[in-house]
Amino acid sequence: MNLVKDFGKTAIIAGQHRVSFSELLLRFTQFHDVTPLESGQKCLIFSENREGWVYALYSIWQHGAIAVPVDASSTVHDIAYILKDCTPSCIWTSKQKKEITEQALIEAGQQLPVYIIDNYEREPLPEGIQPAQIDPEPNNVCLIIYTSGTTGSPKGVVLSFANIISVVNAVSVDVRIYRPEYRTLILLPLHHVLPLMGTVVAPLLNGGGVTICPSMSATDLMDTLKTGEVSIMVGVPRLWQMLYSGVMKVINANPITKGIFGICRFLQWNWLSKIVFHSVQVKMGGRMKYLVSGGAALDREIGIGLKTLGLHVLEGYGMSETSPLITFTRPDDIKPGCVGLPMPAMQVKFVNGELCCKGPNVMQGYYNRPKETAEVIDAEGWLHTGDLGYFDDHGRVYITGRSKEIIVLSNGKNINPSEIEQKIEQFEKYVKEAGVIQDVDMLRAIIVPQPAWAAELSDEEVEEVLKREVLEVYNQTVAPYKKLMNLFVYRGELPRTRLEKLQRFKLPALLLSGEHHDNKAKQVIVEPAFPEYKVIKQYIRTEKHCVVRPTDNIETDLAFDSLDRVGLQGFLEQTFGMEISADQISRFKNITEMATFVADSKTRIEVEKTDWHSILTEDTHKLELPQCWRSGIVYAKLFLAFCKLYFRVSQEGLENVPRQSPFIIAANHQSFLDGLFVMGFLPGKTILNTYFYAKEQHVHHGYVEWMAKRHNVIVMEPSNLKKSIQKLGEALKQNKNIIIFPEGTRTTDGLVGDFKKMFAILSKELNVPIVPVCIQGAYKAMPKHTKIPRPYKVNVKYLPPILPDADISYDALSAKVRTVISNCL
């Protein structure tokens, strides 16, 4: 382990104190001479980050012994557990941790030599001391790293010198990320293998040196970056989220800088970002080359945002068991949301979606746990990570979730909770952090509100605002099975490891403790017994496949969309012989209030399913449809001409669109321009006879509203949803056509979301064929939340019509169309 080439160069910067590489090697020997260790013995390092931590580590390796790093925030019980598990020969600790160390030894029933780092760290070096020489056997064990405990008791991961050297070579020889001219920041706690390898071992072995940040506070971090000559900073996603949010608050406060950021985000020209956001680089010391992200998945939007600021984020993926690297981003191939290519000399494959790997960095096993080792490393040497993902066409790896964390609902839907948590935490005004769990057969969020916002509010008031401003907004953007049906306000901190990984196994206890407290403070909610409530509750349970409570609101708690409300409206009218509008339904605070109103207004109780046939075959000829101005043809063809130049838009299968009979076009929804892409290729006469279905909020602005009324747009009116759907039916009955996007909203990942079944109901009840349309490339051209389209190639495929069979259900017909589009995509 040859540490340096330039002995006079500064190895460690700690505040105003500097240590040369020459002194570094002497300090190793100084610490080595203090401890009478023998080869193969174990020594704990239990201390906060400091120079002496590094000296202790290398002095242990100089003995040929095994270092056991321990979390500096560990409790007496935590340390006692490790002492009993690995039985070390001695302990390096600090004055600050001495008392807790002694208490842990008493609990563990052990008597060991305890050496205090402070007594040697900056003391004068003994005369005649010689520089350290560390030349270990590659297969000798060098580390026992205790896992962070996201799912239970920690296990000791046994790593050899060969394991860690293979990782260092991967990021400094095979791919030159760590270089002698790059200094690395020590920020994260060194007991974890990511910061240990990334901020101590790799930079020192490459002669780049390190700078120690005294704490993880924002003030200490920024001060250290300004003076510490830092080129590489290793962090976790929550750190990058905090950094990005802080910068964006300043940028978004000024319309000009906000606009400039939007332009740079669209262009993604690194040289331009470096110039425009030079001040950001200066505040980070002016030498920053790479931000290295590991420990958990980095939100793609944050990755794109940091790249826009001229900051290169290299994502790494791995685990303690792989020292810790499996894949990492190459500096010339940064793809936000992607964890890069496999480490050189490492084999990676996916088995039933689970990532498995084999290579020189894979651990020797778990300390004294052969059974647990065999559970993760198979007979052929493949380590089964438990993480789910896939390769792209270039061999890059994408991680989609952790198999043990995936929530599986009774309908078979798989949900990655971290994906939902990231989206909820984007509501920064209200949400500090969030955790998602399965509650019976629905999703529930545990939300920690922003303290400054929630300080003067009661839990009930906070919950009401979060439901309205966070859950309701989020639920409108996702598939039904990903909707959050309830939330729990928690005023504390969610349980996390020192690398900010959420300890999911502890979340149910938070919920139970909170509910226990609530039950003492609140009266028990009594389930209504009157028949109207029971009938309505059973209908909702059957339609939404969820638990229904008396206090549930149909929108915020049960996530009713427009079609759900129309279905409920029809059910109430047919079952109870009364008139009620969808607008009235939305105003009820909860199910109990609705049922009470129905009980007072009903004329009968005859339980039936929603009769869509009756709703759509009513006499609706008096309903006024929007006008069909011929200028719509001109606009559509002009837009198509522009698209052929800008997007190189093309079409396939236009012959599949019927010319004489009415039809329903059902297309996947990738961008704001999709409707025009689909309409542009249709013949002029067909354009005149084809209607769009649009949400009222999209067309209620002056000129847009005027255009919509004259160019075939049927508006979804929240106050009269039944009438809106009947207008669609009336258009089809008049031999007109309609275009619907069954997902109801644009995709957030380019994939096809769940389909709402309204188009299938119209098709089946009016016997109208469905023309599936597959749109490709529009997501890349104009993803959601962007305002300026990019010149990506777009293709529109009109697929063969699907006729509604007499015995097919609405759900089955909807699923059939979705499958056809998904397979094409």
Side-chain angles (χ1 to χ4, degrees):
M1 298 179 68
N2 184 16
L3 282 176
V4 292
K5 295 178 182 178
D6 184 351
F7 288 95
K9 183 178 178 180
T10 300
I12 298 177
I13 298 176
Q16 300 300 313
H17 185 67
R18 289 179 175 245
V19 179
S20 69
F21 273 102
S22 178
E23 181 184 345
L24 184 73
L25 294 176
L26 295 175
R27 292 291 180 186
F28 292 168
T29 300
Q30 177 195 21
F31 273 56
H32 165 272
D33 293 345
V34 172
T35 55
L37 281 168
E38 295 181 4
S39 178
Q41 290 184 324
K42 295 174 285 292
C43 180
L44 259 63
I45 306 177
F46 176 51
S47 167
E48 63 282 1
N49 291 358
R50 57 194 301 167
E51 307 116 85
W53 204 108
V54 180
Y55 305 155
L57 173 70
Y58 280 95
S59 73
I60 295 167
W61 287 350
Q62 194 174 350
H63 279 291
I66 303 166
V68 184
V70 178
D71 186 352
S73 66
S74 295
T75 65
V76 170
H77 179 72
D78 295 334
I79 304 166
Y81 170 87
I82 294 174
L83 287 170
K84 292 176 183 178
D85 193 61
C86 73
T87 60
S89 299
C90 61
I91 301 173
W92 274 108
T93 190
S94 63
K95 283 184 180 178
Q96 183 181 342
K97 303 296 179 183
K98 181 182 178 183
E99 183 178 349
I100 192 172
T101 301
E102 292 171 344
Q103 292 173 359
L105 284 168
I106 293 172
E107 182 175 320
Q110 296 179 7
Q111 291 184 339
L112 301 175
V114 176
Y115 303 100
I116 307 301
I117 291 172
D118 310 56
N119 295 342
Y120 307 95
E121 187 175 50
R122 295 189 182 178
E123 290 299 305
L125 290 163
E127 292 185 9
I129 193 169
Q130 296 298 311
Q133 292 186 354
I134 304 173
D135 187 22
E137 287 293 325
N139 292 325
N140 285 356
V141 176
C142 64
L143 289 167
I144 297 179
I145 300 286
Y146 278 84
T147 56
S148 52
T150 58
T151 57
S153 299
K155 301 184 288 290
V157 175
V158 179
L159 301 177
S160 69
F161 284 102
N163 290 151
I164 67 171
I165 293 302
S166 68
V167 171
V168 174
N169 288 338
V171 294
S172 58
V173 179
D174 299 324
V175 180
R176 295 198 67 206
I177 296 172
Y178 288 89
R179 305 184 184 196
E181 61 269 29
Y182 293 169
R183 183 174 299 278
T184 303
L185 182 71
I186 294 179
L187 176 67
L188 302 177
L190 293 177
H191 74 281
H192 194 284
V193 70
L194 169 63
L196 176 57
M197 291 294 298
T199 67
V200 173
V201 178
L204 290 181
L205 283 180
N206 282 282
V210 298
T211 296
I212 301 175
C213 188
S215 78
M216 292 184 68
S217 73
T219 302
D220 281 342
L221 175 58
M222 297 313 296
D223 287 346
T224 304
L225 288 175
K226 287 177 184 177
T227 60
E229 305 170 10
V230 175
S231 297
I232 298 176
M233 180 178 170
V234 179
V236 292
R238 288 181 69 81
L239 173 65
W240 308 130
Q241 181 180 356
M242 178 185 72
L243 173 67
Y244 178 64
S245 297
V247 174
M248 291 309 296
K249 282 180 182 177
V250 177
I251 289 175
N252 290 333
N254 187 313
I256 295 175
T257 55
K258 183 178 180 180
I260 292 172
F261 178 85
I263 293 170
C264 290
R265 191 185 189 282
F266 169 67
L267 296 174
Q268 288 294 305
W269 293 344
N270 182 60
W271 63 269
L272 179 62
S273 292
K274 290 283 188 183
I275 295 171
V276 172
F277 300 108
H278 178 67
S279 61
V280 176
Q281 326 291 323
V282 171
K283 288 180 180 179
M284 299 185 72
R287 302 190 185 194
M288 192 65 68
K289 295 294 181 182
Y290 304 123
L291 306 181
V292 178
S293 181
L298 177 67
D299 182 74
R300 183 174 178 273
E301 287 302 311
I302 293 175
I304 294 173
L306 291 172
K307 187 178 179 182
T308 302
L309 295 171
L311 299 171
H312 291 180
V313 182
L314 306 183
E315 291 191 59
Y317 158 72
M319 52 202 303
S320 299
E321 290 84 343
T322 57
S323 316
L325 207 55
I326 296 176
T327 72
F328 64 94
T329 302
R330 299 337 190 232
D332 60 350
D333 186 35
I334 296 175
K335 302 287 182 183
C338 167
V339 294
L341 295 165
M343 188 184 100
M346 185 162 222
Q347 301 175 62
V348 172
K349 66 179 180 179
F350 288 96
V351 179
N352 297 324
E354 180 188 14
L355 188 146
C356 301
C357 60
K358 181 197 292 189
N361 55 322
V362 174
M363 67 172 181
Q364 293 191 353
Y366 294 120
Y367 184 73
N368 279 346
R369 297 197 183 190
K371 180 180 178 182
E372 285 88 343
T373 301
E375 288 174 354
V376 297
I377 300 179
D378 63 28
E380 297 179 354
W382 288 94
L383 174 69
H384 294 249
T385 65
D387 291 312
L388 305 174
Y390 62 92
F391 290 118
D392 69 7
D393 294 339
H394 300 280
R396 306 185 195 97
V397 173
Y398 288 77
I399 300 298
T400 58
R402 183 149 183 82
S403 59
K404 291 181 180 178
E405 295 180 352
I406 295 298
I407 295 172
V408 182
L409 300 178
S410 62
N411 59 9
K413 296 290 187 181
N414 292 342
I415 296 164
N416 179 8
S418 63
E419 173 191 329
I420 299 176
E421 289 156 2
Q422 288 175 353
K423 291 182 178 180
I424 294 299
E425 288 174 356
Q426 289 176 4
F427 294 86
E428 295 178 345
K429 178 180 177 181
Y430 306 102
V431 180
K432 180 181 179 184
E433 56 179 331
V436 172
I437 64 171
Q438 184 174 3
D439 184 13
V440 189
D441 197 34
M442 64 180 182
L443 299 179
R444 188 172 188 179
I446 299 175
I447 295 181
V448 177
Q450 289 289 3
W453 164 69
E456 303 299 322
L457 303 176
S458 68
D459 284 357
E460 289 76 13
E461 290 171 326
V462 170
E463 181 178 324
E464 182 180 349
V465 174
L466 288 175
K467 283 184 175 180
R468 182 179 67 250
E469 301 295 336
V470 178
L471 258 62
E472 187 172 346
V473 176
Y474 161 79
N475 284 340
Q476 291 174 355
T477 66
V478 297
Y481 68 91
K482 291 184 179 180
K483 291 181 178 180
L484 292 166
M485 298 302 187
N486 212 334
L487 67 88
F488 169 64
V489 176
Y490 180 67
R491 297 184 190 251
E493 292 187 355
L494 299 184
R496 295 183 182 275
T497 70
R498 290 271 276 159
L499 287 193
E500 295 294 329
K501 287 184 180 179
L502 190 60
Q503 294 178 304
R504 297 190 181 281
F505 70 100
K506 293 183 179 179
L507 293 182
L510 292 183
L511 196 61
L512 289 173
S513 64
E515 288 183 339
H516 177 70
H517 174 76
D518 289 347
N519 287 338
K520 288 184 177 180
K522 301 175 185 177
Q523 292 183 346
V524 176
I525 298 173
V526 179
E527 185 93 0
F530 57 96
E532 293 81 5
Y533 171 81
K534 291 182 177 180
V535 170
I536 294 171
K537 175 183 176 180
Q538 183 57 43
Y539 168 81
I540 295 173
R541 285 180 61 185
T542 302
E543 288 294 310
K544 299 295 288 183
H545 308 289
C546 67
V547 176
V548 180
R549 299 180 177 89
T551 55
D552 283 344
N553 178 277
I554 65 165
E555 292 182 357
T556 57
D557 296 314
L558 299 171
F560 265 56
D561 59 22
S562 57
L563 184 62
D564 293 326
R565 291 198 295 276
V566 173
L568 178 58
Q569 177 187 2
F571 171 79
L572 294 176
E573 291 179 350
Q574 293 161 20
T575 303
F576 298 105
M578 55 181 287
E579 289 189 4
I580 188 170
S581 69
D583 194 36
Q584 278 181 287
I585 290 173
S586 296
R587 288 199 294 266
F588 291 120
K589 292 181 180 178
N590 51 50
I591 302 300
T592 303
E593 185 177 300
M594 180 194 302
T596 302
F597 174 82
V598 169
D600 293 338
S601 307
K602 73 178 189 303
T603 60
R604 66 170 187 267
I605 297 182
E606 296 177 4
V607 180
E608 298 177 1
K609 290 186 176 181
T610 304
D611 188 352
W612 286 108
H613 182 76
S614 297
I615 291 173
L616 291 172
T617 56
E618 283 181 18
D619 184 5
T620 56
H621 73 278
K622 293 183 180 180
L623 291 178
E624 185 178 349
L625 297 179
Q627 298 178 31
C628 305
W629 283 21
R630 290 188 173 273
S631 56
I633 301 174
V634 178
Y635 296 145
K637 295 305 179 183
L638 285 174
F639 177 78
L640 180 63
F642 166 76
C643 289
K644 285 183 177 179
L645 293 173
Y646 190 76
F647 300 109
R648 293 168 293 153
V649 67
S650 61
Q651 67 84 16
E652 297 177 44
L654 189 59
E655 66 277 6
N656 290 318
V657 178
R659 293 294 189 270
Q660 304 299 325
S661 61
F663 57 84
I664 299 170
I665 282 182
N668 61 312
H669 205 356
Q670 291 200 336
S671 78
F672 182 75
L673 303 174
D674 291 346
L676 296 171
F677 286 142
V678 173
M679 182 75 92
F681 288 106
L682 299 177
K685 183 178 179 182
T686 304
I687 290 175
L688 281 179
N689 290 322
T690 302
Y691 288 83
F692 284 104
Y693 187 51
K695 294 179 181 177
E696 187 176 52
Q697 64 262 35
H698 292 162
V699 294
H700 75 287
H701 304 293
Y703 176 71
V704 177
E705 182 177 8
W706 184 87
M707 287 287 290
K709 288 180 179 179
R710 289 155 180 81
H711 294 92
N712 303 40
V713 177
I714 295 174
V715 179
M716 184 185 77
E717 304 172 35
S719 60
N720 200 335
L721 293 168
K722 179 180 175 182
K723 178 183 175 182
S724 301
I725 291 176
Q726 286 179 326
K727 279 188 178 181
L728 292 173
E730 178 61 24
L732 293 170
K733 285 188 279 186
Q734 292 184 22
N735 287 323
K736 308 295 185 182
N737 320 302
I738 58 175
I739 295 176
I740 292 181
F741 296 97
E743 292 162 280
T745 187
R746 283 165 282 168
T747 179
T748 58
D749 56 11
L751 303 177
V752 180
D754 278 10
F755 275 17
K756 303 180 189 303
K757 60 187 177 185
M758 182 173 67
F759 78 102
I761 293 171
L762 289 165
S763 170
K764 182 170 171 59
E765 295 304 334
L766 300 177
N767 196 31
V768 175
I770 298 168
V771 179
V773 174
C774 177
I775 301 173
Q776 295 174 302
Y779 171 70
K780 290 184 177 180
M782 196 175 186
K784 200 169 185 178
H785 306 306
T786 60
K787 295 182 179 180
I788 303 175
R790 304 168 185 171
Y792 282 97
K793 181 175 175 58
V794 176
N795 181 250
V796 180
K797 292 184 180 180
Y798 302 86
L799 303 171
I802 296 176
L803 295 171
D805 297 332
D807 57 349
I808 195 170
S809 67
Y810 305 142
D811 289 328
L813 180 56
S814 175
K816 184 176 181 179
V817 175
R818 182 187 181 280
T819 299
V820 168
I821 295 174
S822 296
N823 290 342
C824 174
L825 189 66

